[in-house]
């Protein structure tokens, strides 16, 4: 690890009970997931639709309770947060920015309303005048002129509204922004500005970002590390350049093959929709990717693969990749 650990997900699990009384089943949205986010680090969380990305963000934001497992923030277990003051403090340190900021804005209120409300709640010592000055300051930080404060949501472009979402998060002086597909509804030409903003927040303010996306090319553009999810589990994780240069999990390889040119900074591609949907309802043991995997062996149907380190900091949950490495080690000794 290059940076100090800020957040750790430890065996994080979120299941949902689905179906009626007679057909009760369990959907394993997030299953035994372990990862860390460092200070001043942008971690991309990628994977196709339904792989559990948003559920992870919601659990990290404490919007949703984990079924089991723990989150450690600055070394302290988040499940132990009890008082209203501590809950408020955590929600300010770890705010969420959503895919569609329009949906979370009141159309009849000026866009500064949300920022001012956040300031009032999270920084009660500020006077009304200081709040106005601070609102103008965070708007400037996200690249919006002070004249924008008085506008109504419909008067802003999609990119500007998403910047307001980041301004609202910044007003709370966050340490980790959970950005759930923040650019996927924006035109490709607008996306790059938002990605640059995330990089700027990291570089100048030391803010970490969990950048959720199904677009590997945009992840490559902005992230330090990549976590690839498949069917509620981590398939692979590591430094982004290394994972993209040497993907070890067949699912990561499939994802990358769906990107025409991963070196192109921005592309609309990324989501692979080949093969069957992931098996997350009452899953059977074994690898959840094996039905789509061109390399599957007998072990994959019997034993659930666990994430193992193949290179320093580069992990994959794949029997075939792990066996290949083990035999390479034997060949050398
Ligand atoms: P992603 O963000 O990667 O597209 P999600 O985290 O939204 O994936 O969803 C993961 C899985 O959990 C999906 O199968 C989804 O249908 C299911 N899911 C999410 N929230 C709920 C819920 N509240 N109740 C039942 N199932 C849910
Ligand atoms: Mg999602």
């Amino acid at each position: 690890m290059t940076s100090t650990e800020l957040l750790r997900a430890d065996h994080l699990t979120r299941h949902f009970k689905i179906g009626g009384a007679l057909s009760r089943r369990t959907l394993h949205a997030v299953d035994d997931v372990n990862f860390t986010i460092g200070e001043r680090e942008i971690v991309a969380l990628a994977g196709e639709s339904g792989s559990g990305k948003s559920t992870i963000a919601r659990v990290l934001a404490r919007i949703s309770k984990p079924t089991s497992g723990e989150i450690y923030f600055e070394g302290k277990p988040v499940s132990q947060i009890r008082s209203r003051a501590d809950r408020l403090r955590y929600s300010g340190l770890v705010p969420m920015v959503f895919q569609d900021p329009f949906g979370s804005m009141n159309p009849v209120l000026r866009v500064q309303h949300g920022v001012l409300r956040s300031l009032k709640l999270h920084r009660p010592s500020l006077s009304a005048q200081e709040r106005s000055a601070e609102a103008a300051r965070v708007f400037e930080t996200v690249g919006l002129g002070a004249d924008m404060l008085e506008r109504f949501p419909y008067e802003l472009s999609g990119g500007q509204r998403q910047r307001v979402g980041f301004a609202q998060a910044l007003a709370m002086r966050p340490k980790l922004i959970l950005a759930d597909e923040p650019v996927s509804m924006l035109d490709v030409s607008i996306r790059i500005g938002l990605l640059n903003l995330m990089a700027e927040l990291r570089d100048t303010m030391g803010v970490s970002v969990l950048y959720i996306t199904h677009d590997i090319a945009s992840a490559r553009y902005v992230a330090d590390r990549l976590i690839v999810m498949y069917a509620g589990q981590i398939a692979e994780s590591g430094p982004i350049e290394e994972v993209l240069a040497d993907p070890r999990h067949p699912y990561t390889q499939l994802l990358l093959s769906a990107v025409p040119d991963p070196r192109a900074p921005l592309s609309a591609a990324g989501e692979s929709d080949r093969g069957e949907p992931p098996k997350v309802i009452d899953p059977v043991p074994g690898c959840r990717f094996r039905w789509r995997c061109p390399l599957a062996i007998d072990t994959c149907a019997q034993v659930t693969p666990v994430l193992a380190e193949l290179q320093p900091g580069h992990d994959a949950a794949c029997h075939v990749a792990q066996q290949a490495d083990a035999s390479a080690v034997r060949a050398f000794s």
Side-chain angles (χ1 to χ4, degrees):
M1 261 322 296
T2 45
S3 70
T4 313
E5 178 183 308
L6 179 64
L7 178 140
R8 168 180 295 270
D10 185 30
H11 297 288
L12 203 60
T13 298
R14 182 62 166 101
H15 293 170
F16 295 105
K17 297 274 178 227
I18 57 168
L22 297 176
S23 58
R24 174 118 7 247
R25 298 193 293 170
T26 305
L27 188 150
H28 294 223
V30 175
D31 233 356
D32 195 18
V33 158
N34 298 283
F35 63 89
T36 62
I37 299 171
E39 277 177 11
R40 208 177 270 273
E41 190 177 44
I42 298 181
V43 176
L45 185 60
E48 64 199 8
S49 184
S51 56
K53 305 181 299 294
S54 294
T55 302
I56 287 189
R58 293 168 63 80
V59 170
L60 295 186
R62 298 186 80 249
I63 296 169
S64 175
K65 258 197 162 159
T67 304
S68 61
E70 182 62 272
I71 301 155
Y72 295 90
F73 186 75
E74 297 182 316
K76 294 192 204 78
V78 164
S79 67
Q80 298 305 308
I81 295 175
R82 295 269 186 267
S83 72
R84 192 184 124 74
D86 285 349
R87 285 207 306 270
L88 192 63
R89 180 173 172 275
Y90 182 80
S91 68
L93 290 171
V94 189
M96 222 167 145
V97 172
F98 297 95
Q99 182 175 16
D100 173 21
F102 204 41
S104 58
M105 285 180 183
N106 187 329
V108 302
L109 297 175
R110 296 177 200 281
V111 294
Q112 66 175 331
H113 178 82
V115 176
L116 292 173
R117 193 188 47 201
S118 288
L119 287 168
K120 213 169 185 171
L121 197 62
H122 289 271
R123 295 162 69 184
S125 62
L126 298 182
S127 68
Q129 204 177 2
E130 288 168 330
R131 278 201 297 275
S132 294
E134 186 64 4
R137 201 188 59 79
V138 292
F139 263 52
E140 197 191 318
T141 306
V142 300
L144 293 174
D147 56 313
M148 290 286 168
L149 288 161
E150 300 283 332
R151 303 265 179 102
F152 290 98
Y154 69 85
E155 296 180 292
L156 271 55
S157 68
Q160 288 170 332
R161 283 200 289 265
Q162 201 51 283
R163 283 173 193 270
V164 172
F166 277 95
Q168 215 156 306
L170 281 182
M172 301 185 266
R173 293 196 285 206
K175 292 212 168 159
L176 169 63
I177 295 177
L178 305 169
D180 192 357
E181 309 221 27
V183 300
S184 55
M185 284 176 62
L186 302 177
D187 287 346
V188 167
S189 59
I190 307 292
R191 287 184 190 178
I192 195 155
L194 265 303
L195 298 176
N196 286 337
L197 173 63
M198 289 195 281
E200 210 179 295
L201 298 180
R202 171 195 59 196
D203 297 339
T204 63
M205 304 172 67
V207 175
S208 302
V209 183
L210 181 67
Y211 171 51
I212 296 178
T213 182
H214 53 255
D215 177 19
I216 295 277
S218 73
R220 180 194 190 115
Y221 182 77
V222 75
D224 304 296
R225 250 176 345 114
L226 173 65
I227 298 175
V228 177
M229 298 273 301
Y230 186 80
Q233 298 171 323
I234 294 178
E236 183 161 5
S237 68
I240 190 152
E241 288 299 330
E242 192 185 311
V243 173
L244 298 187
D246 184 23
R248 302 299 307 274
H249 197 290
Y251 176 61
T252 314
Q253 292 165 3
L254 180 77
L255 260 186
L256 292 180
S257 72
V259 181
D261 178 7
R263 279 171 203 280
L266 292 170
S267 108
E271 188 152 14
S272 132
D273 227 359
R274 304 173 197 175
E276 290 179 62
K279 315 231 181 227
V280 293
I281 299 171
D282 292 337
V284 293
C287 177
R288 291 181 193 173
F289 186 62
R290 67 180 187 269
W291 293 277
R292 289 167 74 180
C293 184
L295 305 177
I297 53 176
D298 287 349
T299 316
C300 306
Q302 291 144 17
V303 184
T304 306
V306 293
L307 213 54
E309 191 168 66
L310 301 177
Q311 295 288 325
H314 183 176
D315 302 353
C318 170
H319 292 305
V320 176
Q322 289 167 9
Q323 286 185 6
D325 271 37
S327 49
V329 169
R330 274 197 299 279
F332 276 111
S333 54

